[in-house]
Amino acid sequence: MKILWLLNELPPMVAEQLNREGSNKEGWISGALSRIVREDMLSLSICYPVGSEDEIKDSEVSLASGVIKCFAYFEDRKHPERYSLLAEARFGEILKKAKPDLVHIFGTEYGHTLAMVRTINKLGESAPKMLIGIQGVIFRCGEEYTCDLPEAVVNGYTFRDIIKHDNIANQQAKFLERGEWEKEAIRNCPNITGRTDFDKSIVEGLNESARYFAMNETLRTPFYEGGWDIESCRKHVLFVSQADYSLKGFHILLEAMSDIKNKFPDVRVRVAGANICANSCLKDRIKLGSYGKYLNNLIKSYGLEGKVEFLGRLNAEEMKREYLSCHTYVCASSLENSPNSMGEAMLLGVPVVASRVGGIPSLIAEEEEGLLFEACNAEGLAEDVIRIWKDDNLALRLSQRGAHRARLTHDADVNFMRLIEIYNEILS
């Protein structure tokens, strides 16, 4: 069977051969691709985004299972709220060249998903089959974007926000606008995959005639080896995988840190990703957005100077080291479907504290495999962290049972065979 993947990001193993920068943001793509290159069960081509029309080209890479054709398409990631008719034209060209039996679209977060759905539906009887894989649900993320931030912060502006016309309220509006494209794409695609009760309910609400296929994700290879050890971890250290914008709830964690610090004065939090709070020089202050400014105010008001460290962009091995060395992983988002980082933490046996939102309750049994708190509730978050740090037996139980659950959820063999099964069912 001939499959074309439409991707949001270029997987590192392909990027390396194309001399481009890859992305670890969507690790399940790399996980699935790793399985495909070890097997010889399908012919795969991929579409990936580039930031300039001059970069649009067709190419090939040689992997273990053979040659993969790669087709670049332009997408303006600086302005993802702008829909591109050029993408529809490019996808028409790609479909003629690749001649896929099925197009698998990963995610609904960007306009290219709707562009591909529209392009395929215009082809009529000659069109390939199509399948959308739900990742996040952006219209719901837009609805929960501010995560209980004060209105003055949501509607406020820094110099950077004025120049870019991109304060928190603007960012939320852009999410909601992209969410309308997402809804149209889901309504017009006959086959959808998902993995949680939350995303299934979204699909059923938008397209009751669609076939919904349950399929879990395979994560990046390094996270299937090694395990967290309560004796060797750095006590009273929290690890957070992302804090770039308000939806991720980092301000809620900072509020919780105030209570945690009263019980554990040596508490620290380590954050993967860029330091959005940086303000040590004029250049930093010019680039500082409203959310970063608000986080800085919280750090100062709660006396957390020196307790928050941003680690920069981390690859899989660096992320793994952070998981294994922390005492607890925290996901404080106001909405998630199936957070990749939580799955990685659970696979390694790291005790998890997460918000009880979206698809998270489908992936973790509360009190047995992790502790859950109400969204945007700093007091509940603090209580859960303190419970784990005061009770090693609880930490060990969550570690062992969480790892067991994650090994089932993210079983690479099972998930790969399920993917092939879904492809076969759609094409039969």
Side-chain angles (χ1 to χ4, degrees):
M1 73 183 91
K2 297 174 66 177
I3 308 297
L4 176 66
W5 280 3
L6 177 57
L7 304 178
N8 296 333
E9 307 285 351
L10 188 59
M13 71 170 65
V14 177
E16 183 177 355
Q17 291 202 37
L18 295 178
N19 294 316
R20 300 190 61 86
E21 185 175 354
S23 172
N24 287 308
K25 287 184 179 179
E26 298 177 351
W28 56 92
I29 302 294
S30 293
L33 184 57
S34 295
R35 292 303 310 234
I36 286 174
V37 300
R38 286 161 45 191
E39 309 286 346
D40 188 25
M41 302 180 71
L42 55 85
S43 173
L44 180 67
S45 302
I46 65 170
C47 296
Y48 65 94
V50 293
S52 166
E53 292 182 39
D54 295 336
E55 299 176 272
I56 295 175
K57 64 177 182 179
D58 305 336
S59 51
E60 294 182 347
V61 298
S62 297
L63 299 175
S65 61
V67 172
I68 293 181
K69 294 181 179 179
C70 303
F71 302 95
Y73 66 92
F74 170 70
E75 186 160 66
D76 185 357
R77 288 295 174 87
K78 292 183 179 179
H79 302 283
E81 73 282 0
R82 297 177 181 174
Y83 184 83
S84 173
L85 291 174
L86 292 176
E88 293 186 27
R90 174 58 175 160
F91 291 152
E93 296 172 358
I94 292 171
L95 292 175
K96 288 180 181 178
K97 294 175 181 178
K99 296 182 173 60
D101 301 309
L102 183 147
V103 178
H104 185 171
I105 305 168
F106 287 80
T108 54
E109 297 93 330
Y110 295 100
H112 65 252
T113 294
L114 178 57
M116 181 62 85
V117 170
R118 286 176 172 176
T119 301
I120 291 174
N121 281 333
K122 288 175 184 176
L123 295 176
E125 294 182 0
S126 64
K129 304 289 187 181
M130 64 175 151
L131 169 69
I132 285 178
I134 300 292
Q135 294 175 177
V137 181
I138 199 166
F139 80 88
R140 289 287 289 112
C141 287
E143 292 167 1
E144 304 296 335
Y145 189 85
T146 60
C147 192
D148 278 7
L149 283 173
E151 285 297 317
V153 176
V154 173
N155 295 307
Y157 284 91
T158 63
F159 178 78
R160 175 259 179 207
D161 296 341
I162 293 171
I163 295 299
K164 290 182 173 288
H165 192 60
D166 186 47
N167 71 346
I168 296 170
N170 296 143
Q171 293 164 18
Q172 181 178 31
K174 291 172 186 177
F175 264 62
L176 292 170
E177 185 173 357
R178 290 158 60 191
E180 293 304 309
W181 304 338
E182 173 182 57
K183 292 177 185 177
E184 182 182 336
I186 292 173
R187 289 185 182 117
N188 289 280
C189 183
N191 304 294
I192 313 282
T193 68
R195 62 204 51 84
T196 67
D197 292 340
F198 169 71
D199 67 42
K200 185 177 182 182
S201 69
I202 293 294
V203 172
E204 290 175 344
L206 291 172
N207 186 353
E208 62 181 12
S209 65
R211 287 192 294 177
Y212 178 90
F213 300 91
M215 184 182 73
N216 290 317
E217 294 171 334
T218 296
L219 302 181
R220 292 176 287 177
T221 302
F223 300 100
Y224 290 86
E225 297 178 355
W228 181 81
D229 183 359
I230 197 169
E231 299 299 329
S232 61
C233 74
R234 289 182 285 186
K235 294 298 192 295
H236 310 150
V237 172
L238 298 168
F239 179 55
V240 178
S241 66
Q242 191 177 3
D244 293 0
Y245 51 103
S246 57
L247 180 79
K248 298 301 179 180
F250 192 62
H251 55 290
I252 303 299
L253 176 56
L254 291 180
E255 293 174 19
M257 286 272 286
S258 177
D259 290 340
I260 297 170
K261 189 178 69 165
N262 291 334
K263 298 287 185 181
F264 299 95
D266 60 341
V267 61
R268 287 172 293 150
V269 59
R270 292 170 66 81
V271 189
N275 184 359
I276 63 170
C277 304
N279 67 345
S280 60
C281 64
L282 179 60
K283 183 179 179 181
D284 287 342
R285 289 191 285 275
I286 290 173
K287 293 170 63 177
L288 190 65
S290 294
Y291 189 55
K293 180 180 177 180
Y294 182 62
L295 296 180
N296 274 332
N297 291 339
L298 291 179
I299 289 170
K300 291 175 184 177
S301 63
Y302 292 128
L304 300 176
E305 295 91 340
K307 292 185 174 296
V308 179
E309 183 176 0
F310 288 86
L311 305 172
R313 183 176 179 177
L314 304 180
N315 61 30
E317 291 292 348
E318 291 167 335
M319 286 286 289
K320 182 178 178 179
R321 284 196 293 271
E322 291 298 325
Y323 286 122
L324 293 177
S325 64
C326 77
H327 200 164
T328 304
Y329 160 85
V330 174
C331 174
S333 300
S334 56
L335 190 78
E336 294 280 358
N337 182 31
S338 56
N340 200 29
S341 57
M342 189 181 81
E344 293 171 347
M346 290 175 67
L347 266 178
L348 293 170
V350 182
V352 168
V353 172
S355 45
R356 191 185 296 104
V357 295
I360 287 178
S362 294
L363 301 170
I364 191 166
E366 191 166 356
E367 294 291 327
E368 293 298 316
E369 298 161 356
L371 301 184
L372 305 183
F373 63 95
E374 290 299 318
C376 307
N377 185 333
E379 183 178 344
L381 195 169
E383 288 176 356
D384 285 348
V385 170
I386 291 168
R387 282 182 61 195
I388 291 173
W389 290 359
K390 291 177 70 173
D391 187 348
D392 284 354
N393 288 328
L394 172 62
L396 289 170
R397 186 178 81 238
L398 298 177
S399 171
Q400 293 164 1
R401 295 183 181 180
H404 176 72
R405 170 67 175 272
R407 284 193 294 269
L408 296 176
T409 301
H410 305 292
D411 185 299
D413 293 323
V414 171
N415 294 343
F416 177 72
M417 294 312 298
R418 177 58 177 154
L419 177 66
I420 300 302
E421 183 180 81
I422 291 170
Y423 288 167
N424 282 325
E425 186 169 345
I426 293 172
L427 292 172
S428 64

